Amino acid sequence: EPEVTQTPSHQVTQMGQEVILRCVPISNHLYFYWYRQILGQKVEFLVSFYNNEISEKSEIFDDQFSVERPDGSNFTLKIRSTKLEDSAMYFCASSERDRIAYNEQFFGPGTRLTVL
Amino acid sequence: GQQVMQIPQYQHVQEGEDFTTYCNSSTTLSNIQWYKQRPGGHPVFLIQLVKSGEVKKQKRLTFQFGEAKKNSSLHITATQTTDVGTYFCAGPAGGSQGNLIFGKGTKLSVKP
């Protein structure tokens, strides 16, 4: 069964450093998302991406964040200058969305980001 | 802003007991989705409800979408230890292209 993959599974970084989290969405999906989940809390939407551009972004997704689809398969989230409060699990998700209804989102296993 | 609320936050049951989690949205939803997250895992899609008053069943799980499309529930009959995890409801943000607003989840623990 096709699945979303993410690398690395765990990233430890120093405050102020840049990190890039990588995702490979399911190949025939059209919509891509990044969510984060601070330990023990709910899943929070960061950004959605369609047709090679950002569709929507949340208040969390400030100028320190950027996303890119550098080739036909990868989807990346970059945090330019990490802060302690960026420590969280970051989930990538993808969906095959039609015009009529929202379709299920398939989540990757996540990258645990720890900022020291 | 739009909010999705879930209760209870935690539920501890004896194996074989039933379990219900409730979800309420501050706005009318076009659809609602339910996800399960096992400890240490990632959210896994369970179901999507679209129609007002819709009821769907998956084996021991029964999902309902309210008539006003602002609330939903998930009921598990005769819980098993494999049901352990956190159950999240999620609805699309108003006018969005699909980004989901998640509830805080109900963490279910099942005592054998």
Side-chain angles (χ1 to χ4, degrees):
Chain A
E1 187 175 329
E3 56 185 21
V4 176
T5 59
Q6 287 184 246
T7 54
S9 57
H10 192 185
Q11 175 88 51
V12 181
T13 190
Q14 294 290 326
M15 189 170 57
Q17 294 296 305
E18 174 183 287
V19 294
I20 298 176
L21 310 182
R22 302 178 194 280
C23 168
V24 179
I26 294 173
S27 61
N28 64 333
H29 284 187
L30 302 176
Y31 283 81
F32 314 118
Y33 310 86
W34 282 101
Y35 293 86
R36 80 171 185 191
Q37 185 178 33
I38 295 170
L39 186 63
Q41 299 189 24
K42 67 177 181 178
V43 178
E44 299 175 291
F45 167 76
L46 293 178
V47 65
S48 60
F49 194 86
Y50 170 70
N51 202 24
N52 285 319
E53 60 183 20
I54 291 174
S55 298
E56 290 177 279
K57 56 185 181 179
S58 71
E59 293 175 352
I60 303 169
F61 194 87
D62 61 22
D63 292 344
Q64 293 301 311
F65 290 87
S66 62
V67 289
E68 209 175 31
R69 189 155 162 83
D71 52 44
S73 60
N74 289 285
F75 178 50
T76 62
L77 173 70
K78 182 193 289 187
I79 309 175
R80 262 179 272 280
S81 178
T82 49
K83 304 188 284 287
L84 294 176
E85 52 265 37
D86 293 328
S87 294
M89 181 72 89
Y90 288 81
F91 292 109
C92 172
S94 69
S95 69
E96 180 190 16
R97 180 175 173 264
D98 61 30
R99 290 177 180 272
I100 299 172
Y102 298 106
N103 285 333
E104 66 181 280
Q105 295 186 17
F106 292 80
F107 282 73
T111 293
R112 179 164 297 286
L113 176 65
T114 302
V115 182
L116 302 176
Chain B
Q2 183 180 354
Q3 292 184 12
V4 175
M5 294 148 285
Q6 256 184 282
I7 55 169
Q9 191 174 357
Y10 301 97
Q11 185 79 59
H12 309 284
V13 300
Q14 194 75 36
E15 189 172 23
E17 292 181 339
D18 292 356
F19 158 77
T20 304
T21 173
Y22 300 91
C23 179
N24 280 284
S25 169
S26 59
T27 60
T28 301
L29 299 170
S30 59
N31 71 89
I32 195 157
Q33 300 181 18
W34 284 91
Y35 289 79
K36 177 182 178 181
Q37 185 176 26
R38 293 183 187 275
H42 58 278
V44 175
F45 176 84
L46 294 176
I47 207 158
Q48 175 180 282
L49 304 170
V50 179
K51 298 177 184 175
S52 169
E54 188 170 15
V55 178
K56 285 189 177 180
K57 291 192 176 185
Q58 289 178 352
K59 297 183 181 178
R60 294 178 294 104
L61 277 61
T62 302
F63 303 85
Q64 285 189 308
F65 200 12
E67 294 290 340
K69 301 182 77 171
K70 293 182 74 173
N71 61 289
S72 180
S73 65
L74 157 60
H75 180 82
I76 303 178
T77 304
T79 53
Q80 299 174 0
T81 53
T82 52
D83 295 326
V84 164
T86 301
Y87 293 84
F88 292 97
C89 63
S96 79
Q97 296 293 318
N99 56 294
L100 296 172
I101 296 180
F102 280 76
K104 289 188 175 182
T106 296
K107 187 172 182 178
L108 173 65
S109 62
V110 179
K111 189 175 180 181

